[in-house]
């Protein structure tokens, strides 16, 4: 794996300044850019390690703290090992913060993340790829549908609420997506039940989006996150195979 160099950066947005993590191969050459959308637990050592692995595969990776309006990361104090079942107060605090990410704020922020990568010397010219986890999968789909000319690929893992009856449901943007899309749902995930999976698949198919949607059997919501009780090592490695394959096809 390529040596990488990561650093904390600040990204100017329309609503303030967001803290973020930027990592790239240490060769000083511009590389294809990946925007990594965090899960609800936010920018922390595990997500930096995931970004490092992507950078080691030859990419420049930006991981913004999408909760920056509520403070710099960590916005909510987290234990070293996260088990929401044992610590329900974590989601009690995160719930209102997550709800504050409206499609309007997501759009304004996505414009800032994409502009930052467009101007970043470590990022190669051209469209970027997206990968998102849990709520980040929703952000990835919204970004791909809102900025189709800037996104070449979009992946989402154990995402939730991707095809709801809400007027701002992400699946309603399928007709605007030009990127290749890969989505891997968690098995028995209450936030993404079979009905939503079918509705999302139908929307992507009807829109002619190049895509693949899979269910990782036996994997729980959050299966990629090694610092949580939901982690599934086999499913996480399957995710890496799928994601890196998508990036190879894209770049």
């Amino acid at each position: 794996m390529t040596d990488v160099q990561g650093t904390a950066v600040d990204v100017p947005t329309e609503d303030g300044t967001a803290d973020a993590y930027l990592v790239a191969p240490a060769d000083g050459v511009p590389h294809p850019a990946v925007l990594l959308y965090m899960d609800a637990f936010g920018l922390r050592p595990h997500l930096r390690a995931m970004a490092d692995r992507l950078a080691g595969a030859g990419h420049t990776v930006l991981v913004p703290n999408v909760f920056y309006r509520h403070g710099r990361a960590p916005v909510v104090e987290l234990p070293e090992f996260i088990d929401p079942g044992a610590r329900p107060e974590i989601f009690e605090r995160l719930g209102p913060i997550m709800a504050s990410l409206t499609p309007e704020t997501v759009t304004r922020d996505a414009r800032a993340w994409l502009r930052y990568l467009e101007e970043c010397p470590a990022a190669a010219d051209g469209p970027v790829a997206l990968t998102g986890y849990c709520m980040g999968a929703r952000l990835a789909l919204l970004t791909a549908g809102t900025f189709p000319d800037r996104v070449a690929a979009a992946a989402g893992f154990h995402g939730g609420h991707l095809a709801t009856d809400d007027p701002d449901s992400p699946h309603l943007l399928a007709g605007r997506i030009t990127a290749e899309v890969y989505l891997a749902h968690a098995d028995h995930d209450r936030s993404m039940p079979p009905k939503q999976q079918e509705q999302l698949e139908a929307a992507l198919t009807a829109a002619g989006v190049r895509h693949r949607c899979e269910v990782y059997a036996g994997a729980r919501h959050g299966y990629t996150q090694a610092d949580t009780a939901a982690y599934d090592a086999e499913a996480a490695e399957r995710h890496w195979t799928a994601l890196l394959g998508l990036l190879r096809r894209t770049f």
Side-chain angles (χ1 to χ4, degrees), residues 122-137:
D125 293 338
V128 309
L130 314 173
T131 183
Y133 301 88
C134 296
M135 70 166 198

Side-chain angles (χ1 to χ4, degrees), residues 50-81:
M50 293 183 75
D52 289 349
R53 182 165 174 175
L54 281 176
H59 304 285
T60 293
V61 187
L62 179 70
V63 191
N65 168 25
V66 302
F67 292 158
Y68 70 92
R69 293 175 182 83
H70 302 271
R72 299 178 76 85
V75 175
V76 173
E77 186 176 350
L78 297 170
E80 187 172 336
F81 181 77

Side-chain angles (χ1 to χ4, degrees), residues 140-233:
L141 279 181
L142 290 173
T143 301
T146 307
F147 300 96
D149 60 326
R150 293 286 296 123
V151 178
F157 299 91
H158 44 81
H161 310 294
L162 302 182
T164 70
D165 295 330
D166 296 335
D168 55 8
S169 176
H171 81 287
L172 298 176
L173 291 176
R176 290 178 48 83
I177 294 175
T178 57
E180 181 177 348
V181 173
Y182 177 84
L183 298 166
H185 310 304
D187 202 5
H188 303 298
D189 185 348
R190 288 181 296 176
S191 70
M192 195 62 193
K195 180 181 178 181
Q196 285 196 45
Q197 295 174 24
E198 293 164 6
Q199 193 168 353
L200 178 59
E201 173 71 36
L204 293 170
T205 300
V209 177
R210 292 168 297 151
H211 72 281
R212 185 174 181 182
C213 298
E214 298 183 311
V215 177
Y216 287 10
R220 292 188 288 169
H221 182 83
Y223 58 78
T224 61
Q225 304 302 298
D227 58 350
T228 76
Y231 179 62
D232 183 312

